[in-house]
Amino acid sequence: MALGEFALIQRYFNLQVQTETQGVIAGIGDDCALLQMPADKLLAVSMDTLVADVHFPADADAELIGERALRVNLSDLAAMGAEPLWFTLGLTLPAVDESWLESFSRGLFSAAKPSGINLVGGDTTRGPLSITVQVHGAVDKKSALQRGNACQGDTVFVTGSLGDGAAALAVIQRRLNVSEVDSRYFESKFYRPVPRLQEAQALQYLSKCAIDVSDGLLADLGHICLASGVGAELTLEHLPLSASLTNAVDKQQALDWALAGGDDYELCFTVSPAQLCAVQQLIAEKIIDATAIGRIVAGSGVDCSLNGSKYMIAQTGYNHFDRHD
Ligand code: ADP
Ligand code: MG
């Protein structure tokens, strides 16, 4: 290797001035990081791996890969209602390419900055390009947004818009032609998904149950239903679709991507009747960007209707570079 492993870590990943105020007693450089949890909080831990040519094209801009790697993990912390604290990075590289590392590191740290999450350690190996990020967050036991907390009578909400992730992938893989402006919009949605941390924060004690939509709304709301022992009814005319999506494809394709496309990283959450007014108020005041799309019912599974008729999805699942695990 042109650059030794330690020099590489030092140059590209040991960039932050870590302070004890972030609970980092010892960060990168020792055998383990030493971390201080805030008092009375639970540690929320999640990990996602991105493999070249499975989760992103190997020749994609390294800065965008760095951004996406951290952002998709932050989305999991948001979906649990946890506040981001620290992350670790497992990096497998085919070779030491300093310009790639420089861009990757820039993307990674720019994604870290808004939430103040600190890189505290990791591992670096040689092999086919693969990036694993593990995030750590703090959550109050009473405000964790667990999948098993949905109840019959709750309203189902989703943040932002759905279906853009699948459309973005089609654009990136050159299966879909769109205008220059829409192409930039989709690229940004794919590589720079906004982790819904602010929404999750605003929903503390108003929602008890959330999931981030990474595998498509039907699959992910299905996880909530299974864990909670309930069913859900979706009113598809209420699904939030972006103008770029409805410009790019017909209504049926837009709905199918919104339901089964994946890679949207929006939050799907449920709200009890007692808290509904408070949540609608937050939406009206534009503190959170969310839409009511259905309700939780007795039974199991997710049923969809469009303008009063039962809707059967044309396509289930989605080929995401042969789909991730
Ligand atoms: P060890 O041999 O004890 O496993 P390493 O040589 O793997 O130690 O790592 C040395 C230090 O650098 C550790 O503090 C480790 O957490 C950190 N580190 C290694 N790779 C990375 C990386 N990709 N990003 C951030 N920190 C890393
Ligand atoms: Mg190691």
Side-chain angles (χ1 to χ4, degrees):
M1 283 197 193
L3 186 68
E5 184 189 329
F6 295 112
L8 180 159
I9 295 161
Q10 196 58 32
R11 187 169 304 169
Y12 297 109
F13 299 111
N14 199 5
L15 303 183
Q16 292 163 314
V17 181
Q18 287 157 346
T19 62
E20 285 190 29
T21 56
Q22 301 293 323
V24 183
I25 311 300
I28 292 173
D30 214 321
D31 299 311
C32 294
L34 295 176
L35 306 165
Q36 179 71 58
M37 278 296 288
D40 301 327
K41 297 278 184 171
L42 296 182
L43 176 63
V45 180
S46 178
M47 175 190 274
D48 265 312
T49 295
L50 302 185
V51 177
D53 287 333
V54 178
H55 303 100
F56 61 87
D59 63 356
D61 182 342
E63 182 169 355
L64 295 178
I65 300 169
E67 286 221 29
R68 181 171 156 84
L70 186 58
R71 284 166 177 267
V72 299
N73 275 279
L74 288 170
S75 173
D76 281 312
L77 287 182
M80 196 50 106
E83 176 204 345
L85 294 174
W86 315 297
F87 71 106
T88 55
L89 171 68
L91 198 53
T92 304
L93 299 169
V96 175
D97 174 343
E98 289 207 48
S99 92
W100 190 95
L101 278 164
E102 205 271 322
S103 298
F104 175 80
S105 156
R106 189 168 353 108
L108 191 75
F109 286 104
S110 84
K113 201 164 182 196
S115 66
I117 194 167
N118 272 301
L119 179 60
V120 295
D123 198 26
T124 309
T125 53
R126 195 195 282 262
L129 179 61
S130 153
I131 299 138
T132 299
V133 170
Q134 184 177 54
V135 284
H136 305 80
V139 67
D140 209 281
K141 191 171 184 199
K142 291 201 189 75
S143 65
L145 301 170
Q146 292 185 261
R147 293 178 186 191
N149 287 347
C151 293
Q152 186 182 343
D154 286 1
T155 301
V156 179
F157 286 85
V158 71
T159 59
S161 59
L162 293 175
D164 291 335
L169 198 59
V171 170
I172 289 165
Q173 293 180 331
R174 302 189 198 288
R175 288 181 280 112
L176 179 65
N177 273 323
V178 295
S179 71
E180 186 76 25
V181 176
D182 288 340
S183 170
R184 271 200 299 278
Y185 169 83
F186 286 129
E187 172 152 305
S188 167
K189 289 286 277 207
F190 186 81
Y191 286 109
R192 312 184 68 237
V194 178
R196 294 289 183 175
L197 291 159
Q198 273 164 356
E199 279 78 2
Q201 195 62 33
L203 288 168
Q204 271 209 357
Y205 307 108
L206 295 178
S207 171
K208 291 196 176 109
C209 170
I211 192 165
D212 65 331
V213 182
S214 54
D215 293 333
L217 181 65
L218 286 184
D220 290 316
L221 181 56
H223 294 317
I224 285 183
C225 288
L226 201 61
S228 299
V230 295
E233 288 175 358
L234 293 179
T235 316
L236 298 190
E237 56 272 31
H238 294 153
L239 280 193
L241 306 174
S242 70
S244 295
L245 182 63
T246 52
N247 281 342
V249 295
D250 64 24
K251 189 69 191 279
Q252 166 123 18
Q253 179 67 87
L255 283 180
D256 287 0
W257 275 347
L259 291 170
D263 285 320
D264 284 320
Y265 300 103
E266 296 295 348
L267 281 192
C268 175
F269 59 95
T270 73
V271 177
S272 71
Q275 307 298 349
L276 192 54
C277 273
V279 170
Q280 280 164 337
Q281 185 72 26
L282 289 177
I283 294 171
E285 289 169 7
K286 300 203 183 311
I287 292 167
I288 61 174
D289 168 16
T291 310
I293 57 169
R295 60 198 186 103
I296 298 294
V297 295
S300 63
V302 182
D303 282 331
C304 299
S305 70
L306 180 62
N307 303 319
S309 313
K310 192 171 169 64
Y311 183 87
M312 297 303 287
I313 186 163
Q315 159 200 329
T316 54
Y318 191 72
N319 177 14
H320 169 194
F321 298 107
D322 295 318
R323 203 56 236 161
H324 62 91
D325 328 298

